[in-house]
Amino acid sequence: MKKLLYLILFFSPVSIISQYVDEPNCTSVYLIRHAEKDRTNKEERNPHLNDKGIERTFKWKSFFKNIKFDKFYSTNYHRTIETIQPISNGEDIVIYSPSNIDYNDFLKLNKGKVVLVVGHSNTIPTFANNLLGSRVYNNIEDDNNSNLYVINICDDNKPINSLYTVE
């Protein structure tokens, strides 16, 4: 079943996950965790991506190739910035602090936009939960760098959320 879902997502990601992108009153927020990081130095608090992580960044770039993002958000770490750079194609990346973000302001600032947020195993589920206004997602397992959270908020309707695994 997982392979079938992967095939469906691989061959038609845009039709599945971007159904609200062209709606002027809808905000679409895509959230991913950074790609695999270099773990060779256990003391390094700000590691770069390893080879598998670099490969994953280009998989994400290919996956998102037909989505026109209006804004890109990343935490200020090598691994998150290196994950988002190939997808952003040189466009500005807004650095955010997960501990200092006001989610209502974030939604007001990005109303009607399509944004990509890159963070960490504990910050991405928290970000998604705050946008949803309820605790839906737990922290991401440490060996999982393949979750894609999609949250669509249209007008004052209840947010619609989805979770995908993109290997």
Side-chain angles (χ1 to χ4, degrees):
M1 186 66 177
K2 186 177 178 181
K3 286 187 179 183
L4 176 62
L5 178 60
Y6 173 70
L7 287 172
I8 291 169
L9 287 173
F10 182 77
F11 289 109
S12 60
V14 174
S15 63
I16 293 172
I17 63 174
S18 64
Q19 57 190 338
Y20 299 99
V21 167
D22 293 328
E23 298 290 327
N25 295 323
C26 294
T27 303
S28 294
V29 183
Y30 296 77
L31 303 108
I32 61 175
R33 178 187 181 195
H34 61 79
E36 291 82 350
K37 64 184 176 183
D38 182 351
R39 296 175 184 263
T40 55
N41 180 354
K42 302 289 186 218
E43 304 297 315
E44 178 61 64
R45 304 224 0 104
N46 190 13
H48 292 274
L49 297 179
N50 63 21
D51 290 342
K52 187 174 181 182
I54 292 167
E55 182 181 317
R56 183 177 300 280
T57 66
F58 290 101
K59 286 181 183 178
W60 281 123
K61 178 182 172 100
S62 177
F63 185 83
F64 290 128
K65 69 182 176 193
N66 293 319
I67 297 176
K68 172 65 176 115
F69 289 106
D70 297 302
K71 257 189 180 164
F72 299 92
Y73 288 86
S74 174
T75 59
N76 196 18
Y77 288 88
H78 295 308
R79 59 194 178 274
T80 53
I81 294 169
E82 291 169 2
T83 299
I84 203 168
Q85 279 178 329
I87 305 163
S88 69
N89 290 315
E91 290 188 40
D92 289 340
I93 299 168
V94 177
I95 302 298
Y96 75 97
S97 171
S99 59
N100 293 327
I101 192 163
D102 181 313
Y103 295 97
N104 289 324
D105 285 348
F106 174 87
L107 287 173
K108 287 177 190 171
L109 183 64
N110 292 294
K111 185 172 177 67
K113 295 186 173 157
V114 179
V115 300
L116 175 63
V117 178
V118 179
H120 306 271
S121 62
N122 59 337
T123 64
I124 288 300
T126 299
F127 203 118
N129 290 337
N130 277 292
L131 293 180
L132 294 168
S134 63
R135 189 165 196 266
V136 176
Y137 299 112
N138 294 321
N139 287 351
I140 303 168
E141 293 294 323
D142 193 49
D143 64 345
N144 180 352
N145 298 85
S146 58
N147 282 3
L148 166 62
Y149 302 79
V150 181
I151 299 174
N152 292 293
I153 302 169
C154 299
D155 293 322
D156 292 326
N157 296 326
K158 183 177 178 185
I160 299 169
N161 63 297
S162 303
L163 170 62
Y164 303 94
T165 299
V166 182
E167 295 290 336

